[in-house]
Amino acid sequence: MVVKARVQPSLPPGPRGHWLRGNAPHYEADRIGFLQRNVRDYGDVFSFNENTTVVNDPALVHEILGRTNTDFLAEDAMFAGAGDPEATAAEAASWMAARRKGWRGFNRTVATAHAGRMMRLLDDLTDGTGGRRVDVLDLMARASGCMVADYCFGADGSGIVATIEANVAAALPIMSSGRLLPRWLPAARNRRFLAARRATAALIDDLIARRRSRPVPEAPRDLLDVLLAAREPELSHEQVRDVLRVTLVASYGVPGAAIAWAVRELVIQQDVRRRVKEEACAWEGRDDPPEITELPYTQAVVKELLRAYTPTWLMGRTARREVQVGSWSLPPGHQIMFSPYLIHRDPRWWPEPDRVDPGRWLGTESPHARHTYLPFGAGPRVCLGTQLGMLQLTLAISRLVRRYRFDVADPANRPASPSALLKPEGLRARFVPREAEDRLR
């Protein structure tokens, strides 16, 4: 007989914090350290404040992710004040219907065409640095923005990258802040964010309208073609726009942060860099980029970097109704936060978690305990760009190592900065094409 845990009406224990500002000052001073200390002091479920519970138990996190769209809502709150949970749930259902169509956009034909264009975009941006020392995160974020715009719109997407950059730049201060403001408050950050979101939506509307005015292609060439070709049922304009907008914004910074971590780690670990290069050079001379299955070691490097330096280091869900999480009953509107970074670095689930070792992914056995690897989330709202992200990261890292010599000043002392994304602080590098260097010898 299964005995259910007793539901407790009060919130789990947690740090009391300042009488007025609560735990915000301690959290803002050291976000990861604050969470780690409280897991140690209070266990895998603790209260951050009266409205937020932090969960660090992998089984509970997996359960919460699996109950998304029913008991929990995934939408990130950008403003203070509870919205209508049922209206949000209805919007989520519409989004999920469009999202399922979007999954079909990742087929071999579209992926192969995108991969070739992606390599040219990466070359153009990296060559454009002229061998000067540049901020790696800025360069790779721009590259990932160009890549996802190409995947969504093909050649039509080049003009939208600057708009997406402005959208992300306007959202970051809100996402990084420990305090949300009401939507109606005419604060500068609210005005910037709402204006940027309107500009993004307007530009996507224009691209959709232009594509609809052209003859339908024989086969889809990009995600927009796939969404417009959807039938039974046909997607509404709003559904198409929402899938494109979320894909563009969500895929702008995450791959860039992951590639920046790769550059840092490949400078530190020269043996790893050598093996990536050897694997990449084996496919030199082919007209089409290799499949990622043909780059097993580089793919293992990507998986390990997404474990050790998870860009989306903090995720959250909102209780749609009164819900039970473990032995605790949480009210509607309650926020549940969890950190893939903490789970990925927990020695209970991973051997030598602080060691960056791609080899852990090359064996026949799983390198981790169940439910303890979630760089893309899990459940019905698992990241739409999982396959696209693995393709872009694997091919981009392989290309950088094969085509460029790069160095980083003092790479080991570039700390992780956990704001909206986990990123290496102050990482600067030079990228010199190997062909240009060889000609100078």
Side-chain angles (χ1 to χ4, degrees):
M1 181 178 71
V2 177
V3 178
K4 292 186 177 180
R6 183 173 63 89
V7 176
Q8 302 182 40
S10 58
L11 297 179
R16 295 183 62 183
H18 186 269
W19 70 273
L20 179 61
R21 299 186 62 196
N23 290 303
H26 298 294
Y27 174 70
E28 293 298 335
D30 180 9
R31 296 184 177 195
I32 290 175
F34 173 85
L35 296 177
Q36 289 174 325
R37 287 192 301 274
N38 285 290
V39 168
R40 184 180 63 245
D41 293 345
Y42 296 98
D44 283 326
V45 181
F46 68 89
S47 290
F48 180 86
N49 57 36
E50 62 181 8
N51 300 312
T52 306
T53 293
V54 177
V55 177
N56 192 56
D57 181 289
L60 283 180
V61 170
H62 184 79
E63 178 187 335
I64 291 165
L65 292 172
R67 291 160 64 190
T68 300
N69 294 345
T70 54
D71 294 335
F72 298 94
L73 300 173
E75 282 60 38
D76 294 326
M78 300 299 286
F79 301 101
D84 181 351
E86 293 311 308
T88 302
E91 291 172 3
S94 175
W95 153 251
M96 288 298 294
R99 169 194 165 98
R100 284 190 287 271
K101 305 284 187 181
W103 274 112
R104 300 175 187 172
F106 198 88
N107 58 55
R108 180 178 293 271
T109 301
V110 173
T112 300
H114 167 66
R117 298 191 303 263
M118 182 187 100
M119 294 297 94
R120 292 191 291 274
L121 287 168
L122 183 62
D123 289 349
D124 289 345
L125 285 169
T126 310
D127 288 350
T129 65
R132 299 183 302 277
R133 197 172 292 280
V134 295
D135 185 288
V136 180
L137 184 64
D138 286 350
L139 175 64
M140 296 309 165
R142 175 78 179 182
S144 66
C146 290
M147 291 174 195
V148 73
D150 175 87
Y151 179 72
C152 289
F153 300 108
D156 295 338
S158 59
I160 201 172
V161 177
T163 302
I164 297 302
E165 287 178 340
N167 193 317
V168 172
L172 281 176
I174 299 176
M175 295 170 65
S176 302
S177 173
R179 180 171 175 247
L180 298 179
L181 301 176
R183 183 189 183 101
W184 51 262
L185 190 69
R189 78 181 196 188
N190 283 7
R191 294 199 307 271
R192 281 195 299 269
F193 172 73
L194 293 171
R197 189 163 64 177
R198 286 193 297 269
T200 301
L203 189 49
I204 294 173
D205 287 343
D206 182 61
L207 289 168
I208 295 172
R210 279 193 275 161
R211 184 68 61 88
R212 286 187 187 277
S213 69
R214 300 173 187 169
V216 177
E218 293 183 5
R221 301 154 299 183
D222 51 41
L223 181 58
L224 179 53
D225 278 347
V226 171
L227 295 172
L228 293 181
R231 296 293 182 270
E232 298 180 1
E234 181 177 348
L235 296 178
S236 69
H237 176 89
E238 290 74 18
Q239 286 176 305
V240 173
R241 181 183 62 205
D242 287 347
V243 169
L244 292 168
R245 182 183 61 80
V246 171
T247 302
L248 287 163
V249 173
S251 300
Y252 176 84
V254 172
I259 298 172
W261 283 116
V263 168
R264 174 188 180 273
E265 201 62 33
L266 291 168
V267 170
I268 294 172
Q269 297 203 52
Q270 290 294 318
D271 286 346
V272 173
R273 184 172 178 173
R274 176 184 54 78
R275 289 189 63 177
V276 171
K277 183 184 175 187
E278 289 173 353
E279 190 174 72
C281 289
W283 303 102
E284 196 164 358
R286 282 178 35 165
D287 291 334
D288 294 329
E291 302 281 341
I292 63 172
T293 53
E294 297 173 314
L295 300 169
Y297 186 76
T298 309
Q299 196 172 5
V301 170
V302 171
K303 290 179 180 179
E304 180 67 348
L305 289 168
L306 292 176
R307 179 199 69 83
Y309 301 111
T310 319
T312 308
W313 73 280
L314 190 66
M315 299 181 183
R317 294 292 186 264
T318 302
R320 180 179 176 184
R321 53 178 67 93
E322 184 173 340
V323 294
Q324 183 177 349
V325 174
S327 59
W328 304 95
S329 181
L330 304 178
H334 197 78
Q335 303 289 314
I336 294 92
M337 305 301 298
F338 47 92
S339 173
Y341 179 90
L342 263 62
I343 293 173
H344 292 174
R345 294 285 187 134
D346 195 319
R348 292 177 295 175
W349 323 123
W350 295 84
E352 298 184 86
D354 292 331
R355 185 163 70 95
V356 180
D357 177 20
R360 75 173 80 228
W361 297 96
L362 298 175
T364 56
E365 300 289 331
S366 173
H368 58 91
R370 194 179 183 200
H371 303 324
T372 60
Y373 185 64
L374 53 158
F376 298 104
R381 294 297 289 266
V382 65
C383 177
L384 181 63
T386 300
Q387 292 174 291
L388 176 62
M390 286 300 299
L391 171 77
Q392 290 179 338
L393 292 173
T394 303
L395 293 184
I397 291 169
S398 177
R399 182 71 167 185
L400 286 171
V401 171
R402 183 178 71 80
R403 195 169 189 272
Y404 299 93
R405 297 186 189 276
F406 50 87
D407 67 89
V408 174
D410 199 17
N413 291 318
R414 300 300 161 195
S417 174
S419 52
L421 296 175
L422 187 74
K423 55 191 180 183
E425 193 69 44
L427 190 72
R428 298 180 66 81
R430 291 180 297 188
F431 297 87
V432 179
R434 293 181 183 274
E435 294 177 1
E437 188 177 71
D438 291 342
R439 283 196 300 269
L440 293 175
R441 290 181 175 177

